[in-house]
Amino acid sequence: GDSVTQMEGPVTLSEEAFLTINCTYTATGYPSLFWYVQYPGEGLQLLLKATKADDKGSNKGFEATYRKETTSFHLEKGSVQVSDSAVYFCALSMNTGFQKLVFGTGTRLLVSP
Amino acid sequence: GAVVSQHPSWVICKSGTSVKIECRSLDFQATTMFWYRQFPKQSLMLMATSNEGSKATYEQGVEKDKFLINHASLTLSTLTVTSAHPEDSSFYICSASRGLGDTQYFGPGTRLTVL
């Protein structure tokens, strides 16, 4: 079945460091891909998405590019802030309505001053 | 905007009792609501999808009679865990969307512990 694999955390970085969180997927077709973020005590929020190959999603300084050849959707940010500390989930959806999401296990990011 | 709340945020109950969890969309009408379950260090697993006024569609392996879902209005869905057992202890998360193609907006989750 369809699945998402992300790197285990926690990822610990100093402020202003470069961030990469790896995400790869397995799917029978061409899914839409998402990154969600969960801040402490809050629900998951959509961070960015890409719906076709070579699309780049971006938001709040984060970006991820849909790579069909490597079945990947790695999340990057050039300079992290303490406020970026959260859990990040990679997810895919196989239908155009984005109704059924398949999630990865989440990666906790800890950014220290 | 697009805020989803869950109540309670945590609950402890005895084995054999039933527990109801509420999911509300506070500032929008949710045509579709979803219920997920999350085990420690594991991903969110979709349990069921419900459309307002219709019966919920359950994912394979999810017991309909154990996890009762009601979506009686455009702002409220409930999940009732019936005759709960310790193996039902988990983190339950709901989400809501305005319809096909819309982003899912997630609640903060409910931690259920069954003793």
Side-chain angles (χ1 to χ4, degrees):
Chain A
D2 303 328
S3 65
V4 174
T5 303
Q6 20 181 151
M7 59 191 291
E8 280 196 36
V11 173
T12 305
L13 295 173
S14 298
E15 205 164 24
E16 298 183 3
F18 184 86
L19 169 71
T20 299
I21 299 178
N22 290 336
C23 170
T24 57
Y25 67 88
T26 301
T28 52
Y30 301 105
S32 296
L33 301 172
F34 307 81
W35 276 100
Y36 281 82
V37 58
Q38 185 175 32
Y39 298 103
E42 299 182 18
L44 278 74
Q45 302 172 24
L46 179 64
L47 181 59
L48 53 85
K49 69 181 181 187
T51 57
K52 61 183 188 298
D54 299 325
D55 267 2
K56 178 185 284 188
S58 61
N59 186 25
K60 300 181 181 179
F62 291 89
E63 57 182 37
T65 301
Y66 189 142
R67 301 286 188 201
K68 186 176 71 173
E69 62 275 11
T70 55
T71 63
S72 66
F73 192 54
H74 304 321
L75 182 68
E76 297 181 334
K77 186 176 185 182
S79 176
V80 293
Q81 306 300 311
V82 172
S83 57
D84 293 327
S85 298
V87 181
Y88 293 82
F89 291 88
C90 185
L92 67 80
S93 176
M94 287 306 300
N95 60 42
T96 55
F98 307 150
Q99 295 290 286
K100 181 171 179 176
L101 292 168
V102 176
F103 285 90
T105 53
T107 302
R108 183 176 298 277
L109 170 64
L110 299 170
V111 181
S112 57
Chain B
V3 178
V4 176
S5 70
Q6 282 185 240
H7 178 80
S9 54
W10 59 270
V11 56
I12 300 172
C13 69
K14 292 183 179 180
S15 187
T17 60
S18 294
V19 174
K20 181 183 286 187
I21 302 169
E22 292 185 349
C23 176
R24 293 183 184 272
S25 56
L26 298 184
D27 51 4
F28 68 101
Q29 293 188 323
T31 303
T32 307
M33 286 186 166
F34 307 83
W35 286 95
Y36 295 83
R37 184 173 177 177
Q38 185 180 28
F39 293 100
K41 298 188 178 181
Q42 294 188 30
S43 59
L44 283 73
M45 302 297 294
L46 180 65
M47 299 174 65
T49 302
S50 73
N51 291 298
E52 185 263 338
S54 303
K55 287 186 178 179
T57 301
Y58 290 80
E59 295 298 303
Q60 194 171 8
V62 177
E63 299 176 59
K64 305 179 183 185
D65 296 332
K66 177 163 209 47
F67 299 101
L68 300 178
I69 292 171
N70 184 280
H71 189 170
S73 77
L74 286 171
T75 59
L76 173 65
S77 176
T78 59
L79 168 68
T80 302
V81 183
T82 63
S83 186
H85 288 94
E87 58 266 29
D88 299 324
S89 298
S90 194
F91 196 56
Y92 293 88
I93 301 172
C94 74
S95 71
S97 81
R98 297 177 184 92
L100 285 177
D102 187 37
T103 298
Q104 289 185 36
Y105 300 96
F106 286 80
T110 297
R111 171 81 55 198
L112 170 62
T113 301
V114 184
L115 303 177

